[in-house]
Amino acid sequence: MDPINTFDSFQISVNDISSQLAPDYMPRHVAIIMDGNGRWAAQRGLQRIAGHQEGLRALQDVLEILHELNVPYVTIYAFSQENWNRPKLEIQLLMNLLERYLQEERALFLKRRVRFRPIGRLHQLPPSVHGLVSEVAEETRHFTDRVLSVALSYGGRAEIIDAMRRMAVEVEMGSLSPSDIDEPLFEQYLSTHGLPDPDLLIRTSGENRISNFLPWQIAYTELYFTKTLWPEFRRTETLHALVDYQKRERRYGRVTQTVSS
Ligand code: IPE
Ligand code: IPE
Ligand code: MG
């Protein structure tokens, strides 16, 4: 096929899909479980790390389109508590990739005024990664309009337990009364405090599960599962997910206005 024509038809199809998007019904917060890097590599006879490298390029594409569409909050699952059970070499290569990504992107965060907000048990990261993550978080902490939260050594149940422990200490010291504990107060003890709950959660690779990602925060989130492996989830796939989101009716337990009771 003529490569120029291929490029043209790609452009047209991207434009076609984005014209289906209603600008006043965009999600404010998109959460993503980036899954399928290993299978993408295996399908090509490559090492798993090659899948993670390509996954990073997919991430850059997806963040770019979400930026263009002015989605202010994005939360990505980069490394779970359970991922520590992977082979040591894969963990080490993933940590190197994360370090390189942050070194490359920190200037862009500053230029675009994006707050880089890591969440998870960060002290479990190798010291050099922990140091860099904290530095980039610190130098961008004053930005409020756009936030990129990155879940690292993150587990949703661990997050809830950590919140509970801190509350229990305050109850013990007498500065918090059990009767004051309600949902808005509990939210303040979570690592995502202050962020609106995700409107849309995307999971790639055909797995229809949450894998311990933001269990508290996604109570009313719209879920989008796709068979596409993460390295192949790019601009067009992102637009498809957003168009699908816009077709949904978020009822929060209420009844539809148009349905007669
Ligand atoms: C997701 O891809 C990336 C991380 C969990 C770090 P996987 O590495 O889980 O890829 P699969 O699921 O084995 O294909
Ligand atoms: C979830 O993917 C974690 C990340 C994407 C970082 P996994 O590949 O670790 O999840 P499971 O094992 O399929 O549930
Ligand atoms: Mg996986």
Side-chain angles (χ1 to χ4, degrees), residues 22-43:
D24 49 358
Y25 190 48
M26 291 296 289
R28 287 176 73 210
H29 186 174
V30 175
I32 310 175
I33 302 176
M34 312 181 290
D35 196 16
N37 294 350
R39 278 163 284 171
W40 182 91
Q43 282 174 1

Side-chain angles (χ1 to χ4, degrees), residues 106-259:
R106 67 197 291 183
L108 189 69
F109 295 151
L110 290 171
K111 181 168 163 243
R112 290 189 168 169
R113 307 178 66 77
V114 175
R115 177 174 179 191
F116 168 77
R117 188 170 165 175
I119 59 171
R121 288 184 171 166
L122 305 177
H123 58 276
Q124 293 174 340
L125 296 170
S128 66
V129 180
H130 186 196
L132 179 62
V133 161
S134 309
E135 252 177 55
V136 180
E138 188 53 37
E139 74 190 6
T140 60
R141 66 173 307 132
H142 50 289
F143 299 137
T144 51
D145 292 350
R146 288 172 191 266
V147 181
L148 172 65
S149 299
V150 180
L152 291 167
S153 193
Y154 176 88
R157 289 184 174 180
E159 178 184 33
I160 290 170
I161 293 295
D162 289 347
M164 285 295 302
R165 281 202 188 129
R166 284 195 291 128
M167 290 174 104
V169 168
E170 290 185 27
V171 167
E172 201 171 47
M173 292 189 319
S175 56
L176 179 66
S177 158
S179 59
D180 289 338
I181 300 174
D182 57 10
E183 291 179 19
L185 186 90
F186 187 73
E187 192 273 338
Q188 287 175 33
Y189 287 79
L190 294 172
S191 61
T192 50
H193 61 90
L195 278 181
D197 287 341
D199 299 296
L200 171 65
L201 169 72
I202 297 170
R203 183 176 186 144
T204 57
S205 88
E207 310 295 356
N208 297 343
R209 57 175 172 262
I210 298 305
S211 302
N212 207 8
F213 190 43
L214 306 174
W216 171 276
Q217 296 87 339
I218 62 168
Y220 257 108
T221 297
E222 295 295 327
L223 308 180
Y224 180 86
F225 295 108
T226 171
K227 287 197 163 58
T228 306
L229 300 174
W230 176 251
E232 290 173 341
F233 192 91
R234 302 292 175 116
R235 295 176 71 93
T236 315
E237 290 73 20
T238 309
L239 289 167
H240 277 298
L242 295 171
V243 167
D244 190 275
Y245 167 80
Q246 293 198 335
K247 288 186 188 141
R248 314 227 186 145
E249 184 197 3
R250 303 184 73 187
R251 285 195 290 277
Y252 299 100
R254 301 188 194 100
V255 291
T256 313
Q257 302 279 320
T258 50
V259 176

Side-chain angles (χ1 to χ4, degrees), residues 34-40 48 52 78-79 83 86 90 94:
M34 312 181 290
D35 196 16
N37 294 350
R39 278 163 284 171
W40 182 91
R48 292 179 60 83
H52 296 314
F79 194 85
N83 289 152
R86 293 194 176 197
E90 180 173 350
L94 271 168

